[in-house]
Each structure stands twice: as C-alpha cells, then as structure tokens.
Amino acid sequence: MSAEQGGPPSMLTRGLLVAFLLPGALLLLAFLVVPGAWSLGQSFTSYTLLGPQATDTHFVGLRNYQRALGDTGFWNALRVSLLYVFGSAVVGQMGVGLVLALYTTRLEDRFATLVRGAAVLAWIAPGVVVAILWNIYLQPEGGTLNRLLGVQISWLAEHPLIAITLYNTWRGAAFSMLLLDAALRSIPMSYLEAAAVCGASTWQRFRDITLPLLRPQLLTDLLLITLWTLNDFGPYLLTSGGPNHQTEVIPIFTWRVAFRSFDLGYGAALSTLLLAVNLALALLYQAMLRRRAR
C-alpha cells in the first residue's frame, strides 16, 4: 500500500521528509535548544563576572531561584509586567484593534485601505524611531498630548506606566486590527441582515453573532500579543525602567541583573522564570482554544 493510499511512507518518502526537516531542526537545535539548555545550566551556578566569585563558579542548586522569590525587585518587575500586559496588550491593543476593525468594515474600500495603511505604518516603524517620536509626543512643554488635553503633565516622570502603556498600544494595535478585520470580513452578511430584520439592535447583533464568531481569532490574538508584550524590551527606550523602577518590566530587570551587574547565574534563573510564565500562558490559551473547538 502506498503513502497516497493511507499506508506507511516508503523509504524514499521518509528520506525526503528527513531532508526537508533536517535544516529547520538543526537551526532550532543551534539557536534555541542549545542556548536554552546552556542558560538553564547556568541558572544553577554562581556564574558572575565581578568580585571574588568571578574565578570560583560552582554549582549552587536552586539558590538563584530562591533568591528571586525573596527579591523585591523581581516581584516589582512581575507586577509592572502584568499591569503592562493587561493595560497595553489585553485592553489596549486588542480593544483598539477590534474597534478599528469594526470601523474599517463600515468604510468604503479606498478609505478602509487608508486606515489600514496608517495603522500598519505604526507597526512596521523601527522601535527606536517610535520611541523618539513618543518622547517628543509626551514632552511636558510643547508635547502633542499635553496640547491636545490642554494640560501640562510630565508623563514620563509623573505617570510613566501610563506612558509606556499608551506607547505599546499605539505600536501594536495594527496587528490586532488586521487579524480581526480579516475575521470580520469572513462573517456572512446574511447572518447580520437576518438578525436586523428580526429587530435585533446593533449591540445585540455584535454580542450574539459577531463576538461568538470572532472568539477563535480573539484568543489567537490574545495569545500572541500577550507573549510579545511580556517579552517586550521597548519601555527601556522611553524610560530605562525608571523612574524609581516604576516601568522596570521583567526583561529590563533581567537585563540589568545579567548585563549591568554581571550576575549571570541569577540572570539566567530570571530568564528561566520568564520562560516558565510564557509557557504557562501559552498552555492556558491553547487549552481555551481546544475547549472552544470541541
């Protein structure tokens, strides 16, 4: 029986499969598995580049992880990261993206294309350029945001967490908009028209028809933007983690420990903890997607 008839693949087919998979597998091994295993191994050592211990790297077991659990800096970074993810990704990017997607579906094609293009420009612009623009935008004297609101606030000093939340929302909303816009266009208009004929209001049509049909795309969007934001180093470009660690998310805290204090063993343990949080969130969203598919 041949592979095309549902039987086991022939030796030639298996050889081709191996030939196609081998380059990708080697790249994953070289750039993900080996560095990840090296980092995990370092997290159990006292590896540092400063002080007397720099010449005496030895195995310390779980001491670095215990140190993280008792480190107020780690808990502050975790708290800031969760607020940053919830505010800028869950509420900001997904909320703004959904509103923009709903808005563009009501526009003529040429105007919808203009709105999508403007949103995508913010998404593809280099991070350094976006940070410079937002630094100017948030200036206390003559900044665009203060002019729009008619106030004089030093956003980066007085409300730094709100500032980086707005910044990341603006950067990432385009991805959610594009994903949800494509999903909205796949919903048959006959569903909405039939509901309108039956007297359903705009909100009822959105709640009972549009939102349930968008749920798989919303969960996919939520998974991706949550993981991207949790690993985002972008706030450093605006605030460097300050003032007084108020915007020090976990990637910035880990970078500071590993590459400013050169405490590489502890930094590796923090990286492993961040990876564990990422994995937990990914498994949670995957479980929600599988539950939805049943």
Side-chain angles (χ1 to χ4, degrees):
M1 186 180 291
S2 68
E4 293 179 351
Q5 294 171 320
S10 66
M11 291 302 294
L12 179 60
T13 306
R14 288 177 180 172
L16 283 174
L17 285 174
V18 171
F20 282 124
L21 292 175
L22 190 59
L26 289 175
L27 287 174
L28 284 176
L29 185 68
F31 294 105
L32 187 63
V33 177
V34 173
W38 183 87
S39 177
L40 179 63
Q42 293 302 319
S43 71
F44 298 110
T45 70
S46 62
Y47 187 25
T48 180
L49 298 181
L50 297 178
Q53 291 186 342
T55 56
D56 183 28
T57 299
H58 56 275
F59 181 75
V60 296
L62 297 175
R63 190 180 302 168
N64 286 327
Y65 294 94
Q66 293 171 339
R67 177 182 169 188
L69 296 179
D71 189 343
T72 55
F74 170 74
W75 289 110
N76 173 70
L78 182 61
R79 180 186 64 82
V80 173
S81 291
L82 293 177
L83 290 173
Y84 180 56
V85 168
F86 180 75
S88 68
V90 179
V91 176
Q93 292 184 10
M94 193 168 70
V96 173
L98 179 59
V99 170
L100 285 174
L102 290 168
Y103 176 65
T104 53
T105 55
R106 295 173 180 273
L107 296 176
E108 294 181 17
D109 285 345
R110 54 180 176 172
F111 294 120
T113 302
L114 286 175
V115 174
R116 291 191 202 102
V120 169
L121 277 178
W123 188 38
I124 64 175
V128 174
V129 175
V130 174
I132 292 172
L133 292 176
W134 269 84
N135 196 294
I136 297 171
Y137 183 72
L138 296 172
Q139 283 297 306
E141 295 183 6
T144 308
L145 183 58
N146 279 348
R147 286 178 179 271
L148 289 173
L149 298 178
V151 297
Q152 188 168 359
I153 298 175
S154 178
W155 292 94
L156 295 176
E158 298 175 27
H159 306 287
L161 189 55
I162 293 176
I164 63 171
T165 298
L166 292 174
Y167 154 80
N168 193 51
T169 298
W170 185 83
R171 280 188 64 199
F175 174 80
S176 298
M177 185 202 72
L178 293 175
L179 180 66
L180 299 177
D181 180 65
L184 282 171
R185 291 177 183 278
S186 69
I187 297 175
M189 289 301 297
S190 58
Y191 292 4
L192 301 173
E193 292 169 353
V197 169
C198 293
S201 64
T202 302
W203 165 246
Q204 288 171 328
R205 293 198 296 274
F206 174 75
R207 183 192 62 192
D208 298 329
I209 298 175
T210 304
L211 199 55
L213 292 174
L214 279 181
R215 193 165 298 164
Q217 288 78 18
L218 286 171
L219 285 174
T220 301
D221 183 43
L222 197 58
L223 168 63
L224 294 174
I225 62 177
T226 297
L227 296 182
W228 290 340
T229 303
L230 189 60
N231 298 295
D232 186 24
F233 197 74
Y236 184 83
L237 299 172
L238 273 183
T239 63
S240 302
N244 196 24
H245 308 291
Q246 291 182 57
T247 58
E248 192 171 68
V249 291
I250 289 182
I252 296 177
F253 178 64
T254 304
W255 171 83
R256 183 166 62 82
V257 168
F259 300 108
R260 295 293 294 276
S261 301
F262 296 107
D263 195 350
L264 297 177
Y266 184 38
L270 294 172
S271 300
T272 305
L273 290 174
L274 179 59
L275 179 63
V277 173
N278 276 273
L279 185 60
L281 287 173
L283 291 175
L284 174 64
Y285 287 137
Q286 286 295 323
M288 294 169 68
L289 283 170
R290 281 198 295 270
R291 184 179 177 184
R292 166 67 183 169
R294 290 174 183 168

